[in-house]
Amino acid sequence: MNKIAVEGRSVGVTYDDNGNAHILVWVPLAKDKVELFLPGDNVTLPLQKQDAGYWHLITNQVKPDVIYQFILDGDQKLADPASLFQPDGVHGLSQTFNVNDFAWTDSHWNNLPLNKYIFYELHTGTFTPEGTFEGIEKKLDYLKELGITAIEIMPVAQFPGSRNWGYDGVFPFAVQNSYGGPAGLQKLVNACHQKGLAVVLDVVYNHIGPEGNYLGEFGPYFTDKYKTPWGDAINFDDAWCDAVRQYYVENVLMWFRDFHIDALRMDAVHAIKDMSPKHVLAQMKESVYQLMEVTGRTHHLVIECDLNDVRYINPLDEGGYGIDAQWTDEFHHALRVTAGQEKDGYYSDFKGIADLATAYKNAYVYTGQYSAQRFKTFGTEANENGGQQFVVFSQNHDQVGNRMLGERTSTLHSFEMQKLLAAAVMVSPYLPMLFMGEELSQPNPFLYFVSHGDDTLIEAVRKGRKAEFADFHAEGEAPDPQAVDTFERSKFEWELFEREPHQSMLQYYKALIRLRKQNKVLSSLNRKNIKVFYDEAANTLML
Amino acid sequence: MNKIAVEGRSVGVTYDDNGNAHILVWVPLAKDKVELFLPGDNVTLPLQKQDAGYWHLITNQVKPDVIYQFILDGDQKLADPASLFQPDGVHGLSQTFNVNDFAWTDSHWNNLPLNKYIFYELHTGTFTPEGTFEGIEKKLDYLKELGITAIEIMPVAQFPGSRNWGYDGVFPFAVQNSYGGPAGLQKLVNACHQKGLAVVLDVVYNHIGPEGNYLGEFGPYFTDKYKTPWGDAINFDDAWCDAVRQYYVENVLMWFRDFHIDALRMDAVHAIKDMSPKHVLAQMKESVYQLMEVTGRTHHLVIECDLNDVRYINPLDEGGYGIDAQWTDEFHHALRVTAGQEKDGYYSDFKGIADLATAYKNAYVYTGQYSAQRFKTFGTEANENGGQQFVVFSQNHDQVGNRMLGERTSTLHSFEMQKLLAAAVMVSPYLPMLFMGEELSQPNPFLYFVSHGDDTLIEAVRKGRKAEFADFHAEGEAPDPQAVDTFERSKFEWELFEREPHQSMLQYYKALIRLRKQNKVLSSLNRKNIKVFYDEAANTLML
């Protein structure tokens, strides 16, 4: 594929220093012509055909912050696949946005090394009453006092409606309109850096959401070579894949370069199907290295990956994909079973304290043993990978929200057990992550919610959710994902802040985080020196 | 997965030194019971259930060379998936065979190092009038005099009927009944070793043929995770894959250990879909290393792979799959276009002499450039891989037989051009391969032929073949693959042997091969020192 320039985005609408718009869109399927339409001026601008299915135009007629769309072959009017802003949502037109207009004041900011990260995962829509980036900004002092060092924002790529976890995004470059759009995100990141907080953004490169996905009209963004839980896979290695790979690599670079994001958390990369000689994750990492050389800033790539395969996190020059760190769900599963979680579903493969000890020592619990749940032997050894390559947690949006009733540990365990869970994470030789609200022992659930606009899809999601929990009738009905109430019930309860036992829990978390930061043994993340003793009968473990 | 013992086969029926039969079959889908049935004695023996879906029995009641089958859940009677012999073909019963009964006399034989290999690809059914292993044996003196050092036998795994290239095999462990079965193959290999010839066997691990495939009745040998040209992929990485991997790894080991095969040529491994941390090819290579340690013999793994991805042929300890050598179709394509081949189909990506020069220098022609035929950038550099890792040819069964009329170079090019093609291959820094008959400039075609027993399938194959060549109406009708005549026309014409110009061509080939063996520069395969000059206008190339 063509070398990707790290200095600036190529796809979509970008602006040079003279205010000219550079427009590039990949439409290999266009037979005849591709145009850009400006409804405000009722102007239609023809694009020039280039190599490899790209269409291009440089013009001074397309200003920032104006509404536009593309017209394919004089007929189909569609939003820009690389739109930065969809003011009217996924089915609406695009709006131009000059990423260089924001007056950054974070030139003093240096990204933290990964081993200093203490993640706080939050969902923009439910973290604050406003449900916006601006809302988060008002809570940065609270987070700073808590002691966490990085906020991890669940996906913000434009999704249908205003209520969604974010994994139904259909415009990977557009920042959710209801959260505050791209300008709002830039402002929030700048504010975080002022406070000395790093910003991690959750991005989804393994599928496109089910509503408002028009990518297929432009070109072969998908391939039927592979089956994924969401249908056809994104085309990372089939015919025409070069442009699709470029689209996603440029997405990575944009967040880092134009939004000053410090790290990406890439969703479920095991569902990224790529048998190319160079995996697209490795290509992303190489491009990030090039960007870092140009800007002098540092950026991290973190993945969610359920394969226990060190190829993902090994260095590029050792045949790995060069990813800096990965989520370690197995630590969570072992921890929760140890704490009394019933061994159903994905917990069925975990034995409790013996597996927790393994997770402390080996990071992965499954390093080649037979997994009854997967019906195969599973995993590789991770002995050569440092502690800063693994992110651990006692809960996260998935582990909470994928329960039928979305219960946090707060309603599943005693106050003392919650403290133990928090400590188990915080004294690990790995990178700890909190899920918003756990520090307050919030009792409200974090439920699965959507706000689709398509009735058939709404019904399908409802039915799917009910079917998923068909065996849990005793616990009642699965809440309706489309209902506003389901979303509202999941909102952060700020009024707990000054009440007991929530205040005590908060103090406990603060103390724990302080301890981790100040204690040299805890902050070293040296896995080689860790010794783990456990007593199965007493369900006790000593590090 | 369980460690695979290299000392002996586990699946199917094997014999210990006391004559006891050890029977193992993988039937994870069996609900109730699995039995072995001996029609000769009208005896039914129950197998014991083991871990991971295996069923097992040790008995003295099952002698070698008797007919047997399995009965699943008291109902379904099926041949053994690891049958060594199907005397009545793919739909018939299995026959036991003790691989240790053969009296080998090749203990003096040492496999050649790969750089001494001069391959001669042959098809058992058409190479001799008999169409059997015994027929080949009678021609070994001819081959020895020609000067080649290794015969490469197209696949012999049991296929439907008696006429087939071999890629429709459905019993990977069974040796084609019409060729002479397993005993015939052992005898042929022994005879080759007596003559000082190595034996390469073509094996198919990327799919199972369309007729007589009963594997799915036993267990999940296939997965719908991946789409291949033949439908669902063989299950190398999905749930239950451990046993499927073991089945194929044991197949590799069996040919080497029990049939004294010197090297395998694995068909189209790009269609082996495996995203496991350890690719099944790497697992095979590891097992072969273990076997070699036990036996003290040497064995090579050669692949057909159209990915230009050095990961396949790089050493295991560098993250590669450890494969010794690969077919290099691109050398062929560049060579043939240089010789005047029209640039249609897969030839369209090749420019002639400039690409041939690249193939001499870089092995791969595409090392990252855009391939118009694949609609994407393609390939990696292979600068660190030795010349003995690439097998080159001016024709092979596919390049000849995939033409509608199956023309060899003999009918496409002048006598002088044929000599030039042969020389181009023989002076390359790679491993040369001949396709049976090219040394005689045989004019007869090598056509695509089958002998299916299923009328619907026969019609589908006929139609498919016609559709494939729909654009070639000017050249007449595609020959009927099912017709006996199509097979007969493809037979080796031994009567040419003493006629001109065939005898001259044979002398020329002998001289060329002698030259390659005696000339130190030609036999060194040192790629680093090769210099290539070419003149596009004059269509001339100098090494």
Side-chain angles (χ1 to χ4, degrees), chain B residues 477-498:
Chain B
E477 192 92 321
D480 176 5
Q482 181 77 10
V484 175
D485 179 58
T486 302
F487 170 77
E488 292 295 338
R489 285 169 59 202
S490 303
K491 284 207 144 195
F492 200 100
E493 299 178 275
W494 287 99
E495 60 280 11
L496 299 179
F497 183 26
E498 293 182 339

Side-chain angles (χ1 to χ4, degrees), chain A residues 1 224-227 237-242 273-277 309 311 370 374-377 380, chain B residues 1 224-227 237-242 274-277 309 311 370 374-377 380:
Chain A
M1 78 179 295
D224 59 2
K225 267 174 79 173
Y226 306 112
K227 210 186 65 176
D237 67 2
D238 205 356
W240 294 103
C241 66
D242 291 353
K273 304 294 182 189
D274 184 6
M275 291 195 180
S276 309
D309 183 350
R311 189 166 35 168
Y370 183 78
R374 296 174 188 262
F375 297 99
K376 61 174 183 174
T377 50
T380 61
Chain B
M1 76 179 297
D224 60 1
K225 267 175 79 174
Y226 307 112
K227 209 186 67 175
D237 67 2
D238 206 356
W240 294 102
C241 66
D242 291 354
D274 184 5
M275 290 194 179
S276 309
D309 183 350
R311 188 166 35 167
Y370 183 77
R374 295 173 189 264
F375 296 100
K376 62 175 182 173
T377 50
T380 61

Side-chain angles (χ1 to χ4, degrees), chain A residues 183-200:
Chain A
L185 182 60
Q186 287 183 321
K187 189 161 169 292
L188 171 62
V189 176
N190 195 53
C192 286
H193 289 173
Q194 299 298 335
K195 300 276 182 199
L197 290 172
V199 182
V200 186

Side-chain angles (χ1 to χ4, degrees), chain A residues 270-513:
Chain A
H270 45 267
I272 292 176
K273 304 294 182 189
D274 184 6
M275 291 195 180
S276 309
K278 183 176 290 176
H279 195 283
V280 70
L281 292 176
Q283 190 184 346
M284 286 170 175
K285 186 64 189 178
E286 284 180 6
S287 289
V288 171
Y289 276 133
Q290 287 163 25
L291 177 72
M292 284 162 53
E293 251 180 56
V294 170
T295 65
R297 287 169 179 264
T298 305
H299 303 283
H300 310 299
L301 293 179
V302 181
I303 55 174
E304 179 195 25
C305 185
D306 80 350
L307 296 179
N308 287 15
D309 183 350
V310 288
R311 189 166 35 168
Y312 285 80
I313 57 172
N314 279 346
L316 289 168
D317 58 12
E318 292 175 19
Y321 304 160
I323 297 299
D324 299 290
Q326 69 158 99
W327 278 25
T328 312
D329 280 18
E330 290 191 330
F331 179 94
H332 167 270
H333 301 341
L335 177 62
R336 295 294 291 268
V337 170
T338 304
Q341 164 69 38
E342 240 184 275
K343 292 168 67 170
D344 49 14
Y346 48 68
Y347 293 108
S348 62
D349 260 355
F350 293 85
K351 291 191 301 285
I353 199 147
D355 283 344
L356 182 60
T358 304
Y360 275 117
K361 273 188 298 192
N362 299 349
Y364 299 148
V365 173
Y366 280 83
T367 56
Q369 310 93 297
Y370 183 78
S371 153
Q373 200 221 330
R374 296 174 188 262
F375 297 99
K376 61 174 183 174
T377 50
F378 179 65
T380 61
E381 302 274 3
N383 298 329
E384 302 307 315
N385 302 87
Q388 82 289 352
Q389 294 207 274
F390 303 96
V391 180
V392 295
F393 36 82
S394 69
Q395 55 208 303
N396 64 32
H397 74 275
D398 257 335
Q399 307 301 343
V400 174
N402 285 343
R403 302 182 75 94
M404 183 175 85
L405 301 176
E407 304 100 324
R408 301 156 178 275
T409 57
S410 57
T411 59
L412 297 168
H413 294 296
S414 70
F415 193 76
E416 291 310 314
M417 181 58 89
Q418 292 172 54
K419 286 166 73 173
L420 205 53
L421 290 175
V425 168
M426 213 56 80
V427 303
S428 79
Y430 308 121
L431 305 181
M433 187 176 81
L434 278 57
F435 179 59
M436 59 175 195
E438 72 167 269
E439 75 281 10
L440 286 174
S441 182
Q442 283 208 24
N444 71 322
F446 184 72
L447 294 162
Y448 182 68
F449 46 77
V450 295
S451 51
H452 285 302
D454 180 281
D455 286 342
T456 321
L457 180 61
I458 292 168
E459 216 30 62
V461 173
R462 274 183 186 141
K463 276 195 182 151
R465 196 75 186 164
K466 276 189 189 169
E468 199 178 335
F469 298 107
D471 293 342
F472 295 81
H473 270 314
E475 298 182 32
E477 192 93 322
D480 176 7
Q482 181 77 13
V484 175
D485 179 57
T486 303
F487 170 77
E488 290 296 339
R489 285 170 58 202
S490 304
K491 284 207 144 193
F492 199 101
E493 299 179 275
W494 287 99
E495 60 280 13
L496 300 179
F497 185 25
E498 293 182 341
R499 274 190 241 152
E500 283 300 348
H502 310 292
Q503 196 172 39
S504 294
M505 187 61 91
L506 183 61
Q507 295 312 323
Y508 175 74
Y509 266 82
K510 285 183 182 176
L512 257 184
I513 293 174

Side-chain angles (χ1 to χ4, degrees), chain B residues 334-349:
Chain B
L335 177 62
R336 295 293 292 268
V337 170
T338 304
Q341 164 69 40
E342 239 184 276
K343 293 167 66 171
D344 48 14
Y346 48 68
Y347 292 109
S348 63
D349 260 354

Side-chain angles (χ1 to χ4, degrees), chain B residues 196-306:
Chain B
L197 290 172
V199 183
V200 187
L201 184 65
D202 194 345
V203 290
V204 183
Y205 297 153
N206 52 37
H207 75 287
I208 291 284
E211 181 185 342
N213 169 14
Y214 300 102
L215 292 183
E217 310 292 325
F218 289 86
Y221 279 87
F222 302 93
T223 170
D224 60 1
K225 267 175 79 174
Y226 307 112
K227 209 186 67 175
T228 80
W230 308 281
D232 282 356
I234 291 179
N235 176 14
F236 287 111
D237 67 2
D238 206 356
W240 294 102
C241 66
D242 291 354
V244 181
R245 294 170 72 99
Q246 171 155 0
Y247 179 80
Y248 281 101
V249 173
E250 292 217 9
N251 190 266
V252 170
L253 296 171
M254 179 185 77
W255 298 122
F256 290 158
R257 182 190 53 228
D258 304 329
F259 288 83
H260 292 203
I261 296 290
D262 297 289
L264 293 181
R265 177 270 189 191
M266 299 195 253
D267 185 56
V269 299
H270 45 268
I272 292 176
K273 304 294 182 188
D274 184 5
M275 290 194 179
S276 309
K278 183 177 291 175
H279 195 282
V280 70
L281 292 175
Q283 190 184 347
M284 287 170 174
K285 185 64 189 179
E286 284 180 5
S287 289
V288 172
Y289 277 134
Q290 287 164 24
L291 177 72
M292 283 162 52
E293 251 181 54
V294 171
T295 64
R297 288 168 178 263
T298 305
H299 304 282
H300 310 299
L301 293 179
V302 182
I303 55 174
E304 180 197 23
C305 185
D306 81 348

